[in-house]
Amino acid sequence: MQKIQNYINGELIAPLDNTYIDNYEPATGKVYSQIPNSKEEDVELAVKAAEAAFGEWSTCGIAERSRILLKISSLLKENLEEFAKAESIDNGKPVWLATQVDIPRASSNFHFFATAIEHFASESHYMEEVKAINFTTRKPIGVVGCISPWNLPLYLFSWKIAPALAAGNCVIAKPSEVTPMTSYLLSKICIEAGLPKGVLNIVHGLGQHAGSAIVAHPKVKAISFTGGTGTGKAIASVAAPMFKKLSLELGGKNPNIIFDDADLEKALSESMRISFANQGQICLCGSRMFVQKGIYETFKKRFVKMIDELKVGDPNNSDSKMGALVSKPHIEKVQQYIDLAKEEGGTILTGGTTVNVGGRCEEGYFLRPTIIEGLDYMCRTNQEEIFGPVITLTPFEDEEDLLKMANSVEYGLAATIFTQDIDRAHRVADQIEAGIVWVNTWLLRDLRTPFGGVKNSGVGREGGFEALKFFTEQKNICIKY
Ligand code: NDP
């Protein structure tokens, strides 16, 4: 059985106490590899390596850092097939999806920040009346921690570590224990690319051991975390009293809004992705669909038929539109929400059941895409994050009615609006409580834009110069002459 190793001080090594955790393939329900069950002492080793590497990495120059990160980016591209397959085995997503989205995007993340750092500048402020100049330097923080979830494993992992490294920090990173494989493969690529030892350290293991040891370590000066809101709260309660810089990208319960005047064909096909891409396990997926009354019945009929025909199958098959959910505990959690929706008076329009897709996947974690209607907008199903292929359908009267329901949740990550009325698009986008709004499209990402949520969906923004600002510390120097 393959044993994943930690990447510490430039080497692939076993956890110090030599204990491992089973890693399951969600499509088959079988253990296929083992990952280090790292503890505090492994994190300690990683922090020591990172501290030792910091001096050289932070002063080797932007061009050198950029060169190495570009090399990592191109090696990811060269190894696209291997990485995509590994991501699919680990996560349950179709291989085609990992090939088209996850791995190219991970490569782009490195490319983007390798070049962004060359254009990153700080400000100066001239005081004419007293003849003084302020200039503000932005220097790397030191040793920083990056903790990422399982839904877009390498995509989100690289979204954090690339800007941290580009800015000159040394990193202790922990991928989700559920999906460790591509970050393990990345460590091999970092060695091949010539990343100096200790600059990036990848410590595998459980959140409660390895994760909390990173968060609590006094030498780790900033934490960039993506994951659930509950975990974010726990991390903030440890990191905030230690005055660490914190970036938290948390849960969502995003509205997908379709007005009477929407381009119906576009709204239908985009809504299929918005609702069920990656088995609905994207923080940006729209799990509450609001459709205006005038087109509600027509839209519902056509959308339910489309989703009914959506093929759930072996992630290896190119015609599988949806693969497996990420783990047994996760599919069980999603099923509990389907039961709750029924108790709350919801009607299942399609889905709601597991699927045996047969063959090698007999024991995999497959669920039919599920659409539920007839629920009050304030019920638990409509308020809590499910993070699976389950959406609710709710009619609305007008903008006022819509905004009351759409903004009723504790989350505020993203929203999608379908309308052909430009004034309405502006009005609603302006009043929706979300960090990101898409109009007549979804997940159209420009890596320069700020990414993150409001309310309980997070604190701070990733993306573009926002990420580089987070991973640097400012100092203002005022000189009078
Ligand atoms: P979790 O919050 O359970 O875990 C995220 C990461 O944190 C994992 O690596 C986990 O390790 C680790 N962790 C858990 N507990 C601690 C702790 N006490 N201290 C330090 N680290 C810890 O999230 P999931 O992995 O379940 O991911 C799904 C969640 O992520 C959803 O809520 C989703 O909305 C959110 N998400 C948000 C995004 C955004 O940009 N806003 C993007 C993508 C997802 P382990 O796996 O071992 O538990």
Side-chain angles (χ1 to χ4, degrees):
M1 172 111 24
Q2 185 183 7
K3 273 198 166 100
I4 285 173
Q5 303 291 294
N6 284 333
Y7 172 50
I8 297 177
N9 205 24
E11 285 175 13
L12 299 172
I13 58 169
L16 290 174
D17 70 0
N18 214 24
T19 58
Y20 287 82
I21 312 162
D22 288 338
N23 186 25
Y24 289 79
E25 176 175 5
T28 62
K30 295 194 173 67
V31 176
Y32 84 101
S33 62
Q34 291 195 307
I35 76 156
N37 186 3
S38 306
K39 309 278 166 33
E40 218 177 308
E41 60 264 29
D42 299 292
V43 171
E44 185 60 43
L45 203 62
V47 172
K48 284 217 165 75
E51 271 195 300
F54 179 65
E56 211 162 302
W57 182 246
S58 58
T59 55
C60 69
I62 286 169
E64 175 63 1
R65 291 204 295 270
S66 178
R67 185 188 66 77
I68 295 175
L69 295 182
L70 285 173
K71 177 83 183 149
I72 294 173
S73 168
S74 59
L75 284 171
L76 277 170
K77 247 191 238 159
E78 280 169 32
N79 293 282
L80 171 66
E81 214 175 301
E82 182 197 5
F83 271 78
K85 183 86 178 114
E87 201 70 293
S88 165
I89 293 172
D90 228 14
N91 174 276
K93 66 180 73 206
V95 176
W96 64 259
L97 184 64
T99 309
Q100 285 174 24
V101 178
D102 293 71
I103 309 307
R105 174 57 196 277
S107 169
S108 301
N109 287 341
F110 278 103
H111 189 279
F112 177 82
F113 286 108
T115 51
I117 195 66
E118 297 187 312
H119 305 277
F120 188 49
S122 55
E123 294 183 315
S124 76
H125 301 88
Y126 181 51
M127 300 168 78
E128 210 174 36
E129 68 285 12
V130 291
K131 299 286 181 262
I133 179 114
N134 292 274
F135 63 95
T136 309
T137 57
R138 281 194 169 272
K139 289 194 163 179
I141 299 169
V143 180
V144 301
C146 296
I147 300 176
S148 60
W150 48 254
N151 62 326
L152 301 165
L154 193 64
Y155 177 133
L156 291 175
F157 194 65
S158 53
W159 185 231
K160 293 185 180 307
I161 61 179
L165 295 173
N169 299 281
C170 291
V171 177
I172 317 294
K174 191 195 92 61
S176 168
E177 138 246 347
V178 185
T179 52
M181 190 56 84
T182 47
S183 54
Y184 172 57
L185 298 177
L186 175 71
S187 41
K188 294 184 177 184
I189 272 189
C190 290
I191 295 170
E192 193 181 339
L195 188 70
K197 64 178 189 177
V199 167
L200 171 64
N201 302 274
I202 302 177
V203 183
H204 294 273
L206 297 169
Q208 70 203 82
H209 297 312
S212 48
I214 295 171
V215 173
H217 200 294
K219 298 270 173 65
V220 177
K221 297 296 182 197
I223 301 289
S224 173
F225 169 80
T226 299
T229 294
T231 316
K233 206 183 275 183
I235 287 176
S237 74
V238 175
M242 298 174 83
F243 307 111
K244 297 188 182 207
K245 271 186 117 175
L246 263 181
S247 164
L248 302 172
E249 297 297 338
L250 309 175
K253 190 76 180 172
N254 310 314
N256 174 23
I257 301 156
I258 294 133
F259 281 98
D260 277 352
D261 64 6
D263 173 336
L264 203 60
E265 302 310 318
K266 188 187 277 177
L268 279 164
S269 67
E270 286 289 79
S271 291
M272 182 161 79
R273 291 196 312 126
I274 293 169
S275 309
F276 301 114
N278 204 41
Q279 296 69 248
Q281 303 166 138
I282 300 182
C283 53
L284 305 164
C285 277
S287 51
R288 295 176 299 146
M289 189 187 273
F290 296 103
V291 183
Q292 201 165 11
K293 280 195 172 147
I295 54 161
Y296 185 81
E297 288 305 327
T298 318
F299 187 92
K300 175 173 104 179
K301 209 166 140 204
R302 291 193 53 191
F303 191 59
V304 169
K305 184 167 182 295
M306 267 173 82
I307 302 308
D308 239 359
E309 290 165 1
L310 208 66
K311 178 145 190 257
V312 179
D314 186 334
N316 283 343
N317 297 342
S318 55
D319 64 342
S320 296
K321 291 283 182 276
M322 283 174 55
L325 271 70
V326 77
S327 68
K328 190 155 190 283
H330 189 59
I331 195 171
E332 286 168 358
K333 177 193 137 183
V334 176
Q335 283 175 295
Q336 280 164 16
Y337 271 106
I338 294 172
D339 292 342
L340 174 71
K342 289 184 207 154
E343 281 163 32
E344 290 183 322
T347 304
I348 312 279
L349 299 177
T350 182
T353 53
T354 53
V355 208
N356 182 348
V357 304
R360 70 176 195 110
C361 299
E362 286 243 308
E363 288 168 45
Y365 316 132
F366 296 88
L367 194 65
R368 288 278 334 150
T370 302
I371 306 175
I372 306 169
E373 80 167 342
L375 288 166
D376 185 88
Y377 74 97
M378 288 303 291
C379 73
R380 280 184 57 205
T381 311
N382 265 327
Q383 292 288 315
E384 296 174 16
E385 187 184 41
I386 300 173
F387 212 57
V390 177
I391 65 148
T392 61
L393 200 54
T394 308
F396 68 91
E397 203 74 57
D398 51 23
E399 285 175 32
E400 194 186 341
D401 188 32
L402 175 268
L403 285 164
K404 175 187 71 187
M405 295 194 281
N407 290 338
S408 67
V409 293
E410 67 178 47
Y411 298 104
L413 187 55
T416 36
I417 303 167
F418 289 89
T419 177
Q420 298 196 80
D421 178 337
I422 187 75
D423 288 346
R424 168 178 276 162
H426 279 293
R427 253 189 333 263
V428 177
D430 187 52
Q431 291 176 80
I432 281 280
E433 293 167 358
I436 305 153
V437 180
W438 280 289
V439 178
N440 297 329
T441 184
W442 178 69
L443 207 47
L444 185 57
R445 291 280 296 122
D446 181 328
L447 302 188
R448 294 169 300 180
T449 60
F451 178 90
V454 299
K455 295 158 84 176
N456 292 3
S457 287
V459 178
R461 293 291 181 273
E462 296 186 313
F465 290 148
E466 295 297 323
L468 295 175
K469 281 181 188 161
F470 174 76
F471 284 114
T472 48
E473 198 68 88
Q474 298 181 69
K475 183 191 286 177
N476 188 69
I477 299 167
C478 176
I479 300 180
K480 189 162 173 9
Y481 62 95

